[in-house]
Amino acid sequence: MTDKSLKEHLAHFGLLTCNSTSTMPNITDLGFSWSDATNLIDKHELFYCKSYKNRTTYLSPEAYYLIKKYKKQKPMNAQAKQIYQLLEQNEMETIELKAFSFMKQTEYKKAFDFLLKERYITAIRNGRILNPNWSTYVYAAAEKWESYTPEPTLGPNSKEQLITLLSVFMTDREIKNFLD
């Protein structure tokens, strides 16, 4: 497949995970590859986060902005703020971010995962290629991604649009819990 057809899939369904769930296929289940996802990350046409069940989640720009509008972010604790402030100033790979944060591994991981779950940060581009199927990411504050990917025009029924996107993979109860 190609990153173009992955973009089309995301435009239609809004979100996709890296790993399968009982209700949502992953990128390889659908015939896409790691490089399809990273190509869209490099083009800022996909928002990388962990908003769905703490799993790697890929959002279309429309889904990102709809979720941003209707799913409130939890406030950052001190460690999350520290990492976020580093990424507001500079784009960094994980190894750099860990070094500059001066945190213990468990503290860092908890704060970093929180920032991804709450969509405060995202992968802004591909980092070092580790092998043909894997690379590192360079991270930035979500606002940096937004500067490359302006908000699409959301219609007057935008909450219904979001619920329609989510209902493909979630029950009404799961949608309610997700948006709370």
Side-chain angles (χ1 to χ4, degrees), residues 58-70:
Y58 305 118
L59 302 175
S60 69
E62 178 187 39
Y64 167 78
Y65 282 107
L66 286 167
I67 290 169
K68 180 180 178 179
K69 185 173 181 176
Y70 294 107

Side-chain angles (χ1 to χ4, degrees), residues 66-180:
L66 286 167
I67 290 169
K68 180 180 178 179
K69 185 173 181 176
Y70 294 107
K71 182 174 175 55
K72 299 298 178 213
Q73 294 169 306
K74 293 178 182 170
M76 291 183 246
N77 66 18
Q79 292 82 12
K81 278 183 189 173
Q82 184 179 345
I83 293 171
Y84 178 77
Q85 288 169 340
L86 287 168
L87 291 175
E88 276 185 309
Q89 297 168 13
N90 298 293
E91 298 174 4
M92 290 186 210
E93 286 188 36
T94 305
I95 196 163
E96 301 166 306
L97 198 51
K98 284 180 184 176
F100 286 114
S101 72
F102 301 106
M103 289 181 200
K104 293 178 184 171
Q105 175 64 24
T106 54
E107 252 181 357
Y108 171 84
K109 182 168 177 22
K110 185 176 179 182
F112 187 77
D113 285 348
F114 169 86
L115 292 168
L116 284 172
K117 182 179 181 186
E118 295 298 320
R119 303 162 327 280
Y120 283 109
I121 65 171
T122 192
I124 198 78
R125 61 185 164 85
N126 222 357
R128 292 174 288 117
I129 304 298
L130 301 176
N131 66 53
N133 297 314
W134 205 253
S135 66
T136 63
Y137 285 136
V138 175
Y139 293 92
E143 292 81 6
K144 176 81 171 195
W145 181 87
E146 290 174 8
S147 73
Y148 293 115
T149 311
E151 183 173 349
T153 304
L154 302 175
N157 300 324
S158 58
K159 189 159 190 180
E160 289 78 21
Q161 278 179 274
L162 176 58
I163 291 169
T164 299
L165 283 175
L166 298 176
S167 67
V168 172
F169 305 109
M170 297 181 206
T171 65
D172 291 344
R173 183 177 177 179
E174 288 173 320
I175 292 169
K176 182 183 180 324
N177 290 338
F178 178 76
L179 294 176
D180 285 342

Side-chain angles (χ1 to χ4, degrees), residues 11-70:
H12 183 73
F13 291 103
L15 64 151
L16 186 60
T17 59
C18 183
N19 300 308
S20 294
T21 70
S22 59
T23 59
M24 186 183 300
N26 69 37
I27 59 173
T28 57
D29 291 341
L30 298 169
F32 303 115
S33 69
W34 169 260
S35 63
D36 293 329
T38 57
N39 287 339
L40 292 180
I41 288 171
D42 286 345
K43 296 174 188 175
H44 311 108
E45 295 175 344
L46 174 153
F47 188 90
Y48 168 90
C49 63
K50 289 196 173 189
S51 289
Y52 180 72
K53 297 185 178 186
N54 294 320
R55 297 172 180 264
T56 296
T57 308
Y58 305 118
L59 302 175
S60 69
E62 178 187 39
Y64 167 78
Y65 282 107
L66 286 167
I67 290 169
K68 180 180 178 179
K69 185 173 181 176
Y70 294 107

